[in-house]
Structures are given as C-alpha cells and as structure tokens.
Amino acid sequence: MAESTKACPKCRLISPFTAIRCDCGYRFDALGGAPVSEESDTLPPKVTRAWKFTFGWGVVTLLSAGTQPLWGDTTATAMQQTFGGVLSGVMVIVASLGVRRGSGIAAWVLVTYAVFDAAVRIVTASGDFLSPVILFALAVPCALQLRPTLSTPAERRVWPRLLYELAFLQAALTTLFVLWSFFVQSSELKTLTFWQANARHLVAIAILVGLGLATLKRHAWAGYALVFYQCREVYWPLVQGSQPLAAAPMLLVVLYALGAYYLHREQAPLAFRGRAAVATVAVVVLLNVTFFARPTQMDRIVQESEARLAAVPGLRERFEGNATKASALGAELALKGARRLTDAQLIEKARLLAVILIQLDDHNCAEVFRTGRGDMTGALNRVEEGIARAWFDLAVVAITAEHLNTSPPQPSPSEEETNEAQMNAVKTLGSEDAARFRRVEGGDNFARASDADTCWVFRTMVGVIPRLDVRSQRTLARVLMAQ
C-alpha cells in the first residue's frame, strides 16, 4: 500500500494518510476504535440542520415525482412535470450530500436553488412558498459558515466521496426509468430521457453500481471510468439538438471529473491495471456511441420532416417550446389532417401501412385502428427506409393541410358506400377468413374484441384494398385512413 494512504481497521476502506475519519464513521485517532458520527462531531449545528432538511426534502420530492407514473397520469404534460420533479429532487440530494461533507460550494448551490424555486412558484402561481423559504433560511447561514473554495481541505475531501454516492444515485435513477417504461408510452419516455428503457439498461445499472463500489474502495481508475461512461449520456441529447436536456448529464460529467481528479490525488499514481481499466471503459463507450447510440432511421427522418415543417408559415410558432408538447401536437395534426388528403394519397398511405403493420405488435396495431395513436416507432425503424420516408412524407402533407385548414378534397363516405366497400372486401377473402371477419366485426365497435382479432381485421382490410375496384378502394382507404 502507498505511504500516502491507510486502511480502516473496521471496514478495510482505503483513506488518505492524513484522514481523521473513515467513511464508515471510524475515527483513526479514537481510543478503542469507537465509531464517531460524522455530523455530530465535525459539522456545526447550522450545517447539520441544513443538510438533513435538504436531503429529506430531496428524497421526498424524488419519491413523489418518481412514483407518479406508477399510479397517476402519464400524459405528455404530466410526464413533463414529473421529470422536472425528479431532476429537482436529484439536484437537492446531490447538493445536500456535498454539504454533509462540508462543501461551501454545495451550500451556495442550495441557496441558489431556493431562490430559483421560489421565483418559479411565484411566476407560475403554483405550490406553496413555505418549503423554499425554509430551505433559504437554513442554507444561507450554512453557506456563510462553509468556505466555498476548491483549495480548502474540506472541499478536496468532498469530491472523492461524492463519486460513489452519485454513481449509486444515477443507478437508482436508471432503475426508475426502467420501471417507467412499463407505464409510460415509449415515445414519450424517449422524448423525456432520450433513451427507451429495455433490458440493455440493466447492464448500465450493473456498471454504475460496480464503478460506485470501486470508487468506495478508493480505486482512482473507477472515477475516470465514470467520466467516460457519463460522456455517453451527453451524446444523445446533443445529437438530437436538445442542448438544454444535455445540461444535467454534462453537470454529472463535471462532478465525476472533479471526484476522479481529487481521488487520484489522494491515491498513488495509477498502476498498469488501473490505466488498462480506464482505457477499456473509454473504448467501450466509443463503440457504444458509434454502433448503439447513433440516431436511428426514424430519428433521421423525423429531423428532416421537422425541417420541412419549420418552413411552413406559422407552423414553427405552434411547435416552439416543450418537445413533448410539440410531439403530441404533431401526432394530433397528422391524425386530423388525414381527411384532407386526396384519394390517391390515402390509397398510397394504405399500401404503406400494410407493410408497416406486419412489423407492429398486436396491441399497438389494434390501438392504431381504434384510436389512431398506437406506437409505431419500432415498426418504422424496421421497415425499409423508403417505406418510412414515404409514410412521413404523407404525415408532413397532412400536418400542413390541417395547419392551413385546407378543404377536404372529398366528403366522408356515406354509410351505404362504406357497407358496400366492406362487403366487396369480404368477398375477396376465403370462407374461413370471411367467417372470422364477420364474427369479430359483429362486436360493439371492436370494444369487446381482443387485440389479436382487432389487429387481424385491420391488417386484412388494409391489405385487400389494392385488390378492390377503384370506387371501393377510395371508399375503404378514406374510411380506414382518414376517420
């Protein structure tokens, strides 16, 4: 072991040779090795009160916001507020942990947050003002008592210890987003977090926990590995052109870098194994960004479509502001604007949809039929690029027509015309398929039909349109694509 470090006889953690106390609470100069509480022995009462209150506030905020999608509203607006609550809780928790370690910088962060939170509540006329006032009243004396300079011994001790706490906190947040994926539509979740939770993120959780444990054991290489890992999280929002949403991961990069730097200063120079570990993480992150985090086919097409829509007079103003609201508005305009497409465009849309539906699962396929709002993201990424581009081209035309209030080229088909077109479609089916269609279609507007049956009817009707006479093609395409 290097002469500049020493091991705790209680938990075997490595600490700087000049350290008075181990992270586990053991005091190196205590008689008999009796553990000494960090806050009661070393922190002034003002600091102790401040960090305990803010930590509790942050935990309550994080838990109340983080669990909201599990039992409450998961609309785009609600999820935007939920995500803001999660970020607020995380920010307060991180600052309170810094104050607990004696960081004056963290204390002034709490003061700034209290002022900002109060200002937001005043402007939006939402929430009570008691919490930010209490936070401000506790944070100001705390900040005045702690010196906010990186050169003080207290500040130098803060950052290495924050490393593992931040890593564990980020692992908990990743776990939360994975849980959200079971309750929130993937498109909305991706808009908020810039990744769609799946089993691959269980590996990310394991990596964060593993690196957190390594920094807890005072391995400097793990601190640098966290920096490289977090750089990957900054990549996606920057590629998508959402610089504001890259602020939080970029802040984590800075915090991890400070922690790694000061942890390295505490320990001996990196050994060969440590340098090899850092290099391995850097290569893995680079490969991940190159092959897995790059924009998907749909992402590229959506960006091109958004550029075309921005050129439509007055449309940019409708989409400005929150990205989640813009996404919901675009879907609504595309759905309503379909009735303003020509017969030829609707027949072409049906042809494209027949290909897309093959790649779509039964539930989302049925939702497209019932409400027009099923998630087609995965299917559009799997079909040929030409199919996806043509689909979005028609969506751009529909959005533009709805925005400009263009008159529909044809009236909606009458009930008689619809029934005739449907009968002609059934005639093209075999006897078994025709019997299944009549059985499923006989329900109350497909309310009682299963997703599998509803999707089968939808795929069947869309697929037979090219085999019908011209009049039935136009009628059925308008009924299925523009109602």
Side-chain angles (χ1 to χ4, degrees):
M1 182 184 304
E3 294 183 357
S4 59
T5 62
K6 56 186 174 182
C8 173
K10 179 183 177 184
C11 68
R12 307 309 300 170
L13 283 179
I14 303 300
S15 297
F17 186 76
T18 57
I20 298 175
R21 177 177 291 100
C22 175
D23 276 2
C24 70
Y26 177 88
R27 183 161 179 163
F28 291 110
D29 61 351
L31 294 176
V36 181
S37 120
E38 183 170 331
E39 59 271 18
S40 64
D41 188 59
T42 62
L43 294 179
K46 293 179 181 179
V47 178
T48 300
R49 286 195 297 268
W51 90 258
K52 285 185 175 181
F53 175 82
T54 53
F55 182 80
W57 185 19
V59 170
V60 171
T61 302
L62 178 60
L63 290 178
S64 60
T67 57
Q68 193 274 339
L70 309 184
W71 51 263
D73 190 4
T74 57
T75 61
T77 302
M79 286 304 302
Q80 178 195 5
Q81 296 173 348
T82 295
F83 194 65
V86 168
L87 292 182
S88 297
V90 170
M91 182 182 300
V92 172
I93 289 174
V94 171
S96 68
L97 290 174
V99 171
R100 177 176 177 265
R101 299 294 186 187
S103 170
I105 294 176
W108 282 110
V109 168
L110 286 177
V111 174
T112 305
Y113 175 85
V115 174
F116 177 78
D117 187 41
V120 170
R121 296 186 187 212
I122 292 174
V123 172
T124 61
S126 62
D128 66 276
F129 301 102
L130 182 60
S131 296
V133 169
I134 294 176
L135 174 60
F136 183 82
L138 291 173
V140 169
C142 171
L144 292 175
Q145 190 156 10
L146 298 174
R147 287 190 173 186
T149 58
L150 287 172
S151 59
T152 61
E155 291 291 347
R156 290 198 298 268
R157 289 194 298 268
V158 167
W159 305 105
R161 287 151 182 78
L162 273 180
L163 262 177
Y164 61 81
E165 293 171 337
L166 288 174
F168 294 151
L169 183 58
Q170 188 175 0
L173 281 178
T174 306
T175 304
L176 176 64
F177 293 152
V178 171
L179 291 176
W180 277 6
S181 67
F182 294 101
F183 299 89
V184 184
Q185 288 188 5
S186 59
S187 57
E188 293 179 0
L189 184 61
K190 187 174 181 181
T191 301
L192 288 170
T193 63
F194 281 93
W195 51 264
Q196 182 176 339
N198 51 44
R200 204 167 64 239
H201 291 92
L202 298 177
V203 178
I205 296 171
I207 291 174
L208 287 168
V209 172
L211 292 178
L213 291 173
T215 55
L216 179 62
K217 293 291 186 179
R218 295 295 190 271
H219 293 296
W221 65 264
Y224 290 112
L226 281 170
V227 176
F228 283 116
Y229 175 86
Q230 189 58 27
C231 286
R232 174 195 177 279
E233 301 301 315
V234 178
Y235 172 81
W236 186 252
L238 290 180
V239 168
Q240 293 295 305
S242 296
Q243 285 79 8
L245 288 179
M250 287 180 70
L251 177 61
L252 268 181
V253 171
V254 175
L255 295 178
Y256 280 143
L258 282 171
Y261 170 73
Y262 282 110
L263 180 58
H264 191 182
R265 287 186 58 177
E266 282 186 358
Q267 310 302 319
L270 289 180
F272 173 77
R273 288 183 297 179
R275 293 194 296 269
V278 173
T280 301
V281 172
V283 171
V284 170
V285 170
L286 180 61
L287 292 176
N288 186 278
V289 168
T290 303
F291 295 104
F292 299 105
R294 59 184 178 182
T296 63
Q297 170 178 284
M298 185 175 171
D299 294 323
R300 296 193 304 270
I301 297 174
V302 167
Q303 288 180 350
E304 295 170 6
S305 300
E306 289 174 348
R308 292 169 56 189
L309 290 171
V312 179
L315 195 53
R316 177 193 290 271
E317 290 73 16
R318 296 184 67 175
F319 282 98
E320 283 182 347
N322 179 263
T324 304
K325 292 182 179 179
S327 177
L329 176 60
E332 181 182 358
L333 292 177
L335 190 62
K336 293 181 177 179
R339 62 191 178 91
R340 304 181 189 275
L341 299 178
T342 64
D343 288 338
Q345 288 171 329
L346 289 174
I347 292 174
E348 172 64 8
K349 185 178 179 181
R351 183 188 71 82
L352 298 171
L353 185 59
V355 179
I356 297 171
L357 290 179
I358 297 175
Q359 302 292 335
L360 204 59
D361 61 276
D362 287 346
H363 173 69
N364 282 299
C365 170
E367 285 302 301
V368 171
F369 184 38
R370 292 170 179 146
T371 65
R373 301 185 185 278
D375 184 10
M376 301 172 64
T377 304
L380 287 169
N381 273 321
R382 288 189 291 270
V383 298
E384 294 181 4
E385 186 170 342
I387 297 292
R389 286 188 180 278
W391 178 262
F392 273 93
D393 287 343
L394 290 174
V396 169
V397 174
I399 292 173
T400 303
E402 183 66 20
H403 169 68
L404 299 177
N405 199 26
T406 304
S407 300
Q410 297 291 337
S412 297
S414 65
E415 183 177 354
E416 182 179 343
E417 290 173 328
T418 301
N419 290 335
E420 180 183 352
Q422 184 174 294
M423 289 178 59
N424 291 335
V426 174
K427 291 178 182 178
T428 66
L429 304 178
S431 57
E432 293 184 4
D433 287 344
R436 182 182 182 184
F437 177 86
R438 293 190 182 94
R439 175 177 58 82
V440 177
E441 196 271 339
D444 184 15
N445 196 26
F446 295 93
R448 300 177 182 177
S450 65
D451 287 344
D453 284 341
T454 302
C455 181
W456 178 84
V457 169
F458 191 31
R459 285 173 175 155
T460 301
M461 289 295 98
V462 172
V464 302
I465 287 179
R467 304 203 299 266
L468 301 177
D469 59 272
V470 175
R471 181 181 176 182
S472 296
Q473 283 186 21
R474 293 173 177 172
T475 300
L476 202 56
R478 191 160 292 278
V479 169
L480 294 176
M481 301 293 107
Q483 294 297 317

